[in-house]
Amino acid sequence: MKLKKGQQLKEHADAVIAKLRKIYPDAHCELDFTNPLELLVATILSAQCTDKRVNIVTRDLFKKLRTAADYAAIPQEGLEVAIKSTGFFRSKSKSLRSMAQDLVNKFGGKVPASMEELTSLAGVGRKTANVVLGNAFNINAGIVVDTHVRRLAQRLGLTRQQDPDKIEFELMKLVPQSEWTIFSHWLIWHGRRCCYSQKPDCVHCGLATICPSFEEFVTPSDAAKSKKGSDVKKRAVSAQGRQPKKAA
């Protein structure tokens, strides 16, 4: 994932941000919620589950359980049944009930608005806290690093780190703090709509001309099908020309 010779990482990050801003002007959190508690619950449920499925489950869950005390009081078995389709329902039920009990005991049932306080809750780490702070309180305390953000940050050459916390802190140096929350949404939306894990749609990607991983996935024949213009095609042809020839 090498950048162009002489290109500075900050300059590259700025170019990525500018393109993502144009491609996804309406990017936002795709979990449905109306208050901080609902977002906190939905984020915990979203682990190893799609936002679409979580939204289906919470549609009924949020009608039945409205306060932290409700989650703390509901029997384990009852909560398991309610969230079963999100997967890992036993561990998620335990996390939700423990988190809710902490909210009741430590914060009077209200979701706190600081990283330190949120991460003091049972089962709440930096990623979950960042989701809640950024989207429920409009506080840019950090950058959410989920599987999409991790994959794209690496493919785009913004980090070589593997650990989510280290990736987050490197990204925080490259992205203006005012855009920490929306930046994660841009990457998540791009990961869900174009830069897939297995077969990224590079020939139709708006970042193709500046992505250092483009040559790993695209051949000239693929680029010939692209509607993005000659720059993408020329880059694919150039990359093919640099491939080592097979022995006769």
Side-chain angles (χ1 to χ4, degrees), residues 180-241:
W180 284 354
T181 299
I182 190 62
F183 180 74
S184 66
H185 290 319
W186 286 334
L187 291 189
I188 290 169
W189 276 47
H190 196 58
R192 289 174 175 170
R193 292 159 174 79
C194 183
C195 194
Y196 311 118
S197 177
Q198 297 301 317
K199 294 182 179 180
D201 189 12
C202 296
V203 296
H204 297 111
C205 177
L207 301 176
T209 56
I210 63 171
C211 179
S213 297
F214 178 87
E215 295 165 7
E216 297 178 21
F217 301 102
V218 178
T219 65
S221 60
D222 291 329
K225 304 173 186 177
S226 173
K227 298 179 181 179
K228 289 294 181 181
S230 60
D231 287 344
V232 173
K233 297 176 184 177
K234 288 179 180 178
R235 186 171 180 194
V237 171
S238 175
Q240 184 69 15

Side-chain angles (χ1 to χ4, degrees), residues 66-219:
R66 298 180 180 276
T67 68
D70 291 338
Y71 286 94
I74 187 174
Q76 173 75 13
E77 296 77 11
L79 188 54
E80 287 179 2
V81 171
I83 68 170
K84 187 172 183 178
S85 65
T86 67
F88 302 97
F89 58 92
R90 291 189 179 87
S91 61
K92 288 181 181 179
S93 295
K94 291 179 181 178
S95 294
L96 286 175
R97 294 175 69 246
S98 297
M99 176 275 294
Q101 193 63 61
D102 278 352
L103 279 179
V104 172
N105 294 338
K106 298 179 180 180
F107 305 105
K110 294 184 178 181
V111 177
S114 76
M115 177 64 70
E116 182 178 2
E117 291 174 320
L118 277 170
T119 53
S120 74
L121 299 173
V124 177
R126 278 195 64 89
K127 184 180 78 170
T128 297
N130 277 329
V131 171
V132 174
L133 290 171
N135 297 282
F137 295 108
N138 295 315
I139 297 174
N140 288 295
I143 295 175
V144 175
V145 178
D146 68 353
T147 55
H148 297 293
V149 174
R150 176 182 176 180
R151 180 175 72 254
L152 269 68
Q154 293 169 341
R155 285 182 177 174
L156 288 167
L158 300 176
T159 182
R160 294 178 181 274
Q161 299 292 340
Q162 299 294 325
D163 179 75
D165 286 346
K166 292 181 179 179
I167 291 174
E168 179 188 358
F169 293 130
E170 288 203 349
L171 292 178
M172 287 165 66
K173 297 176 183 178
L174 298 173
V175 180
Q177 184 172 358
S178 61
E179 295 187 313
W180 284 354
T181 299
I182 190 62
F183 180 74
S184 66
H185 290 319
W186 286 334
L187 291 189
I188 290 169
W189 276 47
H190 196 58
R192 289 174 175 170
R193 292 159 174 79
C194 183
C195 194
Y196 311 118
S197 177
Q198 297 301 317
K199 294 182 179 180
D201 189 12
C202 296
V203 296
H204 297 111
C205 177
L207 301 176
T209 56
I210 63 171
C211 179
S213 297
F214 178 87
E215 295 165 7
E216 297 178 21
F217 301 102
V218 178
T219 65

